[in-house]
Structure formats: C-alpha cells, structure tokens
Amino acid sequence: MVRPADSTSSAVLALTTLTLLLLLPSHALSAQANPPQQATEEEAREDTVVFAVDEITVTATRSPREVFTAPAPVLVMDQTLIARKMPNSTSDLFRSQPGLDVNGVGVNQTRPTIRGQRGQRILLLADGLRLNNSRRQQDFGEIPALVDVTSIQRVEVVRGPSSVLYGTDAIGGVVNMITRTPVQDGVHGSVGYRYGSVETQHRGIGRFFGRFGNLDLQAGFSMRDAGSYEAPSGTFGDIELVDDTPVFDTGVQDRSLDFRLGYQLSRRNAVWGKLESYTASDAGFGFVDPLAYAPDQAEVRIRYPNQDFIKGTVGYGVTDMGWAVADRLDFVSYLQRNERGLTMDIATSFGPDAPPGAGMELSSNNFTDLSTFGFRLEAKKLAHPSILVTYGVDMFRDDSQNTDRSVMNIHGFGPPMVDSSATPSVPNAVYRSIGAFAQGEFQVEGDLTTKEDRTAVGALNAIYEVVDGLSLVGSVGSAFRAPNIIEWFFEGPTPEGSGYQLSNPDLVAETSLNVDLGARFRSRWLAAEAFVFRNTIYDGIRIAPTGEEVNGIPAYHNVNVDELLYRGVELSATAFLPSGFSLDGSYTYLDSEDVHEPNNPVGETFATKITGAFRYDHPTNLFWAEYGVRHNGDQKDVDLGTSPIGAVLPAFTVHDVRGGIRLSQSGSGIEHHVGVTLANLTNELYAEFANASFFRPEAKRNLWLSYQLVF
C-alpha cells in the first residue's frame, strides 16, 4: 500500500476591494496540490422553459440571475423539459442542446460533453457540491445518474472554462443539477411508472413533499430494472450490421432514495439535513461482439457489478443579519461514500506474424472505496445597491482505497505463460483541498485566483444592453485542471485492451485561455443567442506511446501536450408562433487543432450539429406534441485508432416524436399525466462520438411510455 504524505499550507484573505475575486487555496493531493471547489447557492425557483425570459441561473455567477443577464454562455434545462424528454439521466438532455454532447451508452452510464471536452475536464455538481471522482479515468468522469433525474428542479450548464469560481476540473464547463424542495403548504407529490420497449425497462418513481408551519420535508425513490438493448441493422462508416445486434452490458438494476428535513428556527434562521443513496448493479461499458462486424478486433468487456453511493448533508442559513460584514450566512457540510467494483475481460490474438492461435487473455477486477468529507461556509453582503459581495471558505477531502486482482494468460509460444497480480493499479491516496474565496458582483466583473503549484487563472466578464431586449456578452478568462490520481499513478492495461498504461508522476496541471463573444435577443415572439469562442489548452494531458512494450503489448503513458486549440460557433433560437405553436433550432460548429503538430487529430466531438423541434402546446396545457430532429456532421479530424469504422467518423440524422396529455379530476387536486416518445424513428444505426472508436452504437427504434399521478 502506498500512502504519500500530505502537505498543507494556509492562506489568509483580506477583503480590500469589492471589485476583485480572490481565491487563495491551501491544499494537498498525496503528491501534488489541487485547487478547491466552490459550491453555488441553493435557491428554489419557479419552473421555466429553455430560452424563456424568466430563466434563473446561479451557477455562472454564484448568485441568482436571469439567463439573459448572465455574463457567460449558460443553459438552463428545467423540470418541464425533463418530464417531456423522459431521460434516463441528466446527460441524455444534452443531445439536443447547442455545444453539448454525450459519451457513454446505456441506461445509467452516459456522461456530459461540453464543447468537445469530457470526463475530468467537466465539473459535475449536485446542488453546488462537487460530485467529480478523483479516482475516475480522465475521459470518463462521474456518472450524473448518482442524482435521480426525477428529483431535479433544473440543470444549469456553463459552457466554457469556469475555474475562477469552481477551481480544478472546470476547464471545459460546469454541470449543476439542482434538486427540488418543498414550496407549497400541506402534502403533495407524485408517483409514476416508465416503460422502455427496446431495453425492456421498468421504472417506478415516487416523490413526496410536505410543509407544515416551520417544518418541511421531502422524500423520493426510484427503482429501475433495464436489460441490454439492440442496435439496428445498417451501415456506419465501414461497419455493417446485417441484423439487429445486441449491445451487451447496457442495462442496469438500480435504486435511488433521498430524504430531506428542514426546520425554520425563526424568521431569519433555518436548518436542514438530507440523506441520499444510489445503488446500481449489472451495469457496463457497452459491448458488441466483434464477430458481428469485425472478427479480427479484440474482445473487450468492461462491467460494473456494483456501485453503492451514500451521502449525508446538513446545512444552516441565516438572513437579515445586518452585520457590517454580512447580510446572509450559509453553512453546508457533507459526508459521502462511493464504492464501485469493476471487471475487465480482454481476449485478443497477436496477428498473422505470430504463431497460429497465439494470443492473450486478461481478466482483472478492481474495487474502489472513496470516502469524501467537505464543507462550505459562505457569506453575502449587499455593500451597495449595485454591489453584492460573496465570500467564505470551501474544503473537501477524498480518501481512496483500492483493491486489484488480475490474471494474464499468454499462449501460442509453447507452454502458456500465466501471470497473476494483486498489486493495486493505483496506490491508495488522500486528496485534500481547502481554500478561501471572495467575489464582488457588478455588471462588469473582474476575477482572479491563484494556486499553490503556481497555476493562476482569472476572468473578466461583461454584459452590455445595447437596446431593450438586445445584449452583448464578452468573456476572457483562463482555467486549469490538476492531474488526478489515475493520471499520475495508474499502472495496468487500458480499458480498450489495446495497450498498457504506465504512471507519470511528472505531469503538471493543464491551463487554458478562453475567449467568448456573444449576443442575446428576446422579444414577445423570439428568443435567440449566438456565441463564438476560442479556447486554447496548454500542457493538455493526453495518452501517448512510450515506444516500449509490457507483456507483449504497446506501452503508453499520459503526457503534457504543448497546445490544443478549440474554436467554435453556437447559435440557438426559439420562435413563439401563434395558436400555441413554437419552433426551436440550434447550430454548433467546432474545430480543434494540435497547434504544434497540425497533422495530429485531436477532435473530441462531431464537427457540426444541427437540431430542430416543432411543438404544439394546448392553451390550457391539456396536451402537447413535438417532432424533433438532430443531424451530426461527419468528423475528419479524428484518431479512431484501430476502429473498423474507417478514417472518417460518418454523419447521422436522428428523428424523434413525443407527446403528452394531462387529465384532471375536477375539484380533487389530482392530475394524471401520460407521455409517449418514439425515439430513433427511422431506425438509424449510429454512435455518439466518444462511443465510436470502441464501437458502441445507440439503440434501435424505441418506444417509451410514462404515467404520472400528481397530487
């Protein structure tokens, strides 16, 4: 067992000006510093729809703002949109949004992608508290399924670097899942059921709210049983599936439970506590038998036999303090435990140059137990009618314990060579972060933060209202991402089975410089926005060959690439037509480049994406219907490795239709909601970008049905 010693330094912050944000962290990660995370303010808001003029966001600025006045590219996906889309998890909402994509497949294993960045370059939050797992692979990240999608009030997404407010991992963007809280007196809630035809999914859902004088409570559950789905027959690049083909390990059996209790001590003081748990079994990475499309490919199966996540949170808030230094104070502390098992089985032949039948079988098992403790103390002071100051301290501590066992069998060169190991592929480690922060919020903001390993980031954001309903937005800022435990210390076969990864403790933090320019327009009949951006990542961490071999397979390690450049355009609009009709549309363009090696493809998403939706809403909300389409253009600037797809990732177009009806029982306060979705209407064979090099196509035509009783 390896447990490197912790080292911690301290910083004291003096609030000398109301126009500057300073973040002076004190932190340690078993081997190197890691910047802290700040959480956003938890606020209960009315349901809204995307692009509506009364959208509220707290993630972009740490205080409530209408999206129209946020000085950064942000998206808000509300409870109404979630109910209509019937997503398996938050990530599924990203497919139809500008600048956003998904990676991973299956019912619970999809993860977000923002402007071509994914995994540990995206910061995942729940109610402003960090969910990122320091034990995850760089390109995976934690699964949003830890938070039951039916418990979410809204999802806020900041497109682009946000390290000034959130520290490490926010180099590509931030996803904040804000859960529902009681807002009505008495008891109310809902129970429901969802069915999916292709994966034979059955899901039961219940959510209950109560408010009785000074006491409020909330409880919810979700139980799901889903099998693996089938992909349709067809062609995708050079791959052809003759028949509908199983995509194994894409189902799950999982359960979510949560309970919240709050009490208003007085008009000014309130306390609350929350307990959450998520349990999943029989999930997987997704696997198509190579015999169905490329018999010479290695057989790689990665499964997650179990994941158990439990989190307890307590909070205290006081308002109307009237102090010289604070009008409001909030304290939140949490303790969580994340246990996960992983099994990987690889079978491959050594090719025509080796003896007949020569090959390798590898079977490995990993169990990770990650415990986290953290807290946030945040104060607000309205120093002037136009100046809001937010400051405080933020801390978390990860303790990662790992158990590994592997057996490698090499045959075809005489007697089989069997090698067994129980050495952890990643050493046990402690990851600690503590910091102080302060922010002054104006129409034009200046931000600055420093980091103990001499990485500094800052941002200057501005919004200017040209005329009523038309605003210009500008942002210039830098960000960073410190290497995690996996990138520094992992030793073992890569998940795809194509190589052996070596550790590299000499990695340094990635840094970036991002520029965003945009405009927003809103009127009674139209809401639209347009952004262009340029994000340059310095010392970007990528996997690279060492030129050596380990156990007969090529060796790789993570290295710092000099300079990666990402440029793009994001356009979106909603037109509110007469008689309840509306029309949504978006366009995304992304170009990527390795500045010093232009011939080295670094594309991490499709080059273009066009989405559209035509919707009708009945004037009394009795029913609604929608047709949606998404087209992803091909991508030539991509390294697909040994994938049989070909040199170009092909384009695809997906069509969906959905609708719903609401029935009320007169005078009872009870409503019945029925929803139906026909996904992948044309039975298109396709794979999302990150799922293509290790071919994992999406499901064939799928019928989803939902029923909800609201009381």
Side-chain angles (χ1 to χ4, degrees):
M1 183 178 74
V2 178
R3 182 179 290 276
D6 292 338
S7 63
T8 307
S9 65
S10 61
V12 178
L13 177 66
L15 187 62
T16 57
T17 175
L18 300 179
T19 63
L20 193 63
L21 179 145
L22 296 175
L23 179 61
L24 304 177
S26 168
H27 36 64
L29 157 67
S30 306
Q32 180 163 335
N34 180 27
Q37 309 294 311
Q38 279 76 43
T40 62
E41 177 182 350
E42 183 180 355
E43 298 283 348
R45 297 289 167 188
E46 294 182 356
D47 289 348
T48 57
V49 296
V50 175
F51 300 117
V53 297
D54 57 348
E55 289 178 317
I56 297 295
T57 176
V58 299
T59 306
T61 60
R62 294 180 62 92
S63 58
R65 274 181 178 265
E66 289 187 16
V67 169
F68 189 78
T69 63
V74 296
L75 282 170
V76 175
M77 294 170 279
D78 79 311
Q79 184 183 344
T80 300
L81 181 68
I82 293 171
R84 290 184 172 184
K85 292 286 188 180
M86 287 192 277
N88 283 308
S89 76
T90 298
S91 299
D92 291 332
L93 298 169
F94 282 39
R95 302 177 194 267
S96 60
Q97 301 296 332
L100 309 183
D101 288 295
V102 301
N103 66 86
V105 295
V107 173
N108 80 328
Q109 287 295 314
T110 55
R111 297 164 172 85
T113 296
I114 302 177
R115 291 180 170 178
Q117 307 301 326
R118 56 192 172 106
Q120 297 294 339
R121 288 179 178 170
I122 302 298
L123 180 60
L124 187 65
L125 304 173
D127 293 322
L129 299 177
R130 174 190 178 92
L131 284 179
N132 276 37
N133 187 329
S134 60
R135 180 58 176 80
R136 287 285 191 180
Q137 293 277 359
Q138 172 192 331
D139 54 351
F140 286 103
E142 190 51 88
I143 55 172
L146 292 182
V147 180
D148 181 7
V149 70
T150 65
S151 73
I152 295 174
Q153 176 76 20
R154 66 185 187 276
V155 180
E156 299 181 356
V157 181
V158 181
R159 307 192 305 269
S162 302
S163 287
V164 168
L165 295 179
Y166 296 100
T168 187
D169 294 356
I171 197 169
V174 177
V175 179
N176 191 8
M177 298 175 288
I178 299 173
T179 57
R180 300 163 63 184
T181 55
V183 295
Q184 299 177 18
D185 291 333
V187 177
H188 60 285
S190 63
V191 293
Y193 168 77
R194 174 178 169 179
Y195 170 76
S197 64
V198 171
E199 71 278 19
T200 317
Q201 178 180 167
H202 301 278
R203 186 178 191 181
I205 303 163
R207 192 142 300 277
F208 309 94
F209 302 92
R211 182 179 291 275
F212 314 96
N214 292 338
L215 180 70
D216 66 79
L217 60 87
Q218 165 196 317
F221 74 88
S222 173
M223 301 182 67
R224 175 170 52 186
D225 187 348
S228 296
Y229 63 73
E230 288 187 334
S233 60
T235 59
F236 187 66
D238 295 338
I239 289 178
E240 180 179 6
L241 297 182
V242 178
D243 301 304
D244 291 353
T245 303
V247 184
F248 299 104
D249 308 327
T250 52
V252 72
Q253 292 179 335
D254 60 358
R255 181 190 67 204
S256 296
L257 296 170
D258 62 85
F259 178 78
R260 183 187 188 275
L261 184 66
Y263 188 75
Q264 192 79 26
L265 298 172
S266 69
R267 184 182 61 84
R268 299 169 49 243
N269 299 268
V271 296
W272 59 272
K274 188 173 184 179
L275 183 65
E276 304 164 83
S277 74
Y278 176 76
T279 302
S281 60
D282 300 328
F285 184 78
F287 166 75
V288 176
D289 190 337
L291 293 177
Y293 66 97
D296 60 335
Q297 290 287 298
E299 181 179 305
V300 182
R301 297 192 72 172
I302 302 174
R303 285 165 285 183
Y304 310 110
N306 64 279
Q307 181 171 5
D308 293 295
F309 175 82
I310 186 167
K311 179 179 181 180
T313 310
V314 294
Y316 169 76
V318 55
T319 60
D320 300 327
M321 297 174 64
W323 294 3
V325 294
D327 296 321
R328 175 170 179 168
L329 186 69
D330 290 284
F331 174 79
V332 179
S333 179
Y334 65 98
L335 178 65
Q336 66 188 33
R337 187 168 186 176
N338 195 342
E339 300 178 345
R340 187 194 61 152
L342 179 149
T343 65
M344 179 169 63
D345 297 293
I346 302 173
T348 184
S349 63
F350 288 142
D353 296 331
M360 177 198 73
E361 284 87 33
L362 172 67
S363 178
S364 64
N365 295 273
N366 165 261
F367 178 79
T368 300
D369 183 355
L370 184 71
S371 299
T372 302
F373 167 74
F375 72 84
R376 182 186 84 243
L377 178 64
E378 181 174 301
K380 292 184 180 294
K381 177 63 180 178
L382 188 62
H384 183 273
S386 62
I387 303 174
L388 176 64
V389 179
T390 304
Y391 65 97
V393 294
D394 198 6
M395 176 269 181
F396 71 87
R397 179 185 185 273
D398 286 347
D399 187 350
S400 178
Q401 302 291 315
N402 314 283
T403 302
D404 291 86
R405 297 184 185 278
S406 64
V407 177
M408 180 181 293
N409 185 346
I410 299 176
H411 53 83
F413 302 93
M417 295 175 284
V418 180
D419 180 31
S420 300
S421 174
T423 303
S425 58
V426 176
N428 298 331
V430 171
Y431 189 109
R432 179 181 298 152
S433 171
I434 183 169
F437 60 92
Q439 173 180 272
E441 189 174 334
F442 298 85
Q443 181 140 0
V444 178
E445 302 171 356
D447 300 328
L448 175 67
T449 184
T450 60
K451 174 177 169 292
E452 201 170 57
D453 64 2
R454 298 184 183 181
T455 301
V457 297
L460 178 63
N461 305 323
I463 183 166
Y464 176 70
E465 187 172 19
V466 180
V467 295
D468 186 27
L470 175 63
S471 294
L472 302 180
V473 181
S475 174
V476 179
S478 56
F480 65 92
R481 187 185 72 84
N484 66 7
I485 296 174
I486 292 288
E487 292 165 316
W488 269 315
F489 303 125
F490 182 84
E491 292 263 1
T494 59
E496 293 81 4
S498 58
Y500 192 94
Q501 182 173 323
L502 301 174
S503 64
N504 184 3
D506 296 326
L507 289 174
V508 299
E510 299 177 329
T511 60
S512 73
L513 178 63
N514 182 78
V515 178
D516 263 288
L517 296 175
R520 294 192 182 104
F521 174 79
R522 64 179 179 180
S523 68
R524 182 180 178 184
W525 303 108
L526 178 68
E529 70 172 31
F531 278 91
V532 296
F533 66 89
R534 176 188 174 99
N535 189 16
T536 306
I537 297 179
Y538 303 94
D539 294 319
I541 298 174
R542 298 190 69 209
I543 197 80
T546 65
E548 303 174 351
E549 291 187 350
V550 176
N551 296 324
I553 57 177
Y556 296 82
H557 65 167
N558 284 298
V559 296
N560 289 106
V561 180
D562 284 339
E563 192 172 340
L564 303 175
L565 176 61
Y566 298 85
R567 295 166 290 205
V569 177
E570 297 163 345
L571 310 175
S572 59
T574 297
F576 304 100
L577 307 177
S579 303
F581 291 95
S582 62
L583 185 64
D584 290 344
S586 74
Y587 170 79
T588 303
Y589 168 78
L590 181 65
D591 177 55
S592 55
E593 177 185 352
D594 185 333
V595 174
H596 299 298
E597 295 185 45
N599 294 325
N600 177 34
V602 294
E604 291 285 350
T605 189
F606 289 92
T608 59
K609 183 173 79 169
I610 301 173
T611 70
F614 182 63
R615 185 170 62 248
Y616 172 75
D617 291 277
H618 189 269
T620 63
N621 293 322
L622 177 62
F623 67 90
W624 63 275
E626 180 182 277
Y627 160 76
V629 61
R630 171 168 63 110
H631 175 79
N632 286 60
D634 60 20
Q635 174 62 277
K636 300 179 176 64
D637 180 32
V638 61
D639 182 5
L640 291 174
T642 60
S643 173
I645 287 177
V648 176
L649 195 59
F652 64 84
T653 304
V654 182
H655 304 262
D656 302 312
V657 291
R658 53 177 53 89
I661 186 169
R662 176 182 62 86
L663 303 175
S664 300
Q665 294 181 218
S666 178
S668 67
I670 295 177
E671 296 181 352
H672 303 270
H673 295 255
V674 178
V676 58
T677 293
L678 195 57
N680 195 2
L681 184 64
T682 58
N683 227 18
E684 178 94 351
L685 175 64
Y686 72 101
E688 304 290 0
F689 181 92
N691 309 328
S693 58
F694 184 75
F695 184 55
R696 299 175 293 163
E698 294 294 311
K700 65 182 184 181
R701 185 185 300 116
N702 198 356
L703 175 65
W704 296 336
L705 300 173
S706 70
Y707 167 76
Q708 187 178 42
L709 171 67
V710 180
F711 57 90

